Amino acid sequence: MTNVTIKRARIEDLETLLSWRMEVLREVFDIDEDTDMSELEESSREYYVGELPLTPNGKIDTMALPVLLKAV
């Protein structure tokens, strides 16, 4: 079972946001794992740094975190 936690994104979440963005772009555009995406990642990093930590008027205000629960 998977639960989802919604939280306000913060600068501490930068690496997670970048990782998710690169993964989504690779999947959506069928980009091979060997393709260098360092320039796109750096541009994304600059964008996120400009938006985080978020203010109420920020463009990125929440992120969903899947939480895997162990069966007991």
Side-chain angles (χ1 to χ4, degrees):
M1 176 193 306
T2 301
N3 289 341
V4 175
T5 300
I6 306 295
K7 74 171 210 165
R8 186 170 300 278
R10 302 264 183 238
I11 195 69
E12 299 85 36
D13 302 309
L14 179 61
E15 295 307 316
T16 299
L17 290 170
L18 284 171
S19 174
W20 288 352
R21 176 167 173 73
M22 295 301 106
E23 183 177 344
V24 166
L25 291 175
R26 285 188 187 282
E27 289 296 322
V28 169
F29 296 107
D30 196 28
I31 299 171
D32 189 66
E33 284 292 322
D34 295 332
T35 301
D36 180 16
M37 293 180 55
S38 58
E39 285 185 46
L40 180 57
E41 186 171 346
E42 186 56 33
S43 294
S44 296
R45 179 181 304 281
E46 290 171 12
Y47 169 77
Y48 284 139
V49 167
E51 293 298 322
L52 298 171
L54 301 174
T55 65
N57 297 326
K59 293 184 179 114
I60 308 163
D61 63 350
T62 57
M63 57 191 285
L65 302 171
V67 179
L68 301 177
L69 300 178
K70 290 183 184 178
V72 271

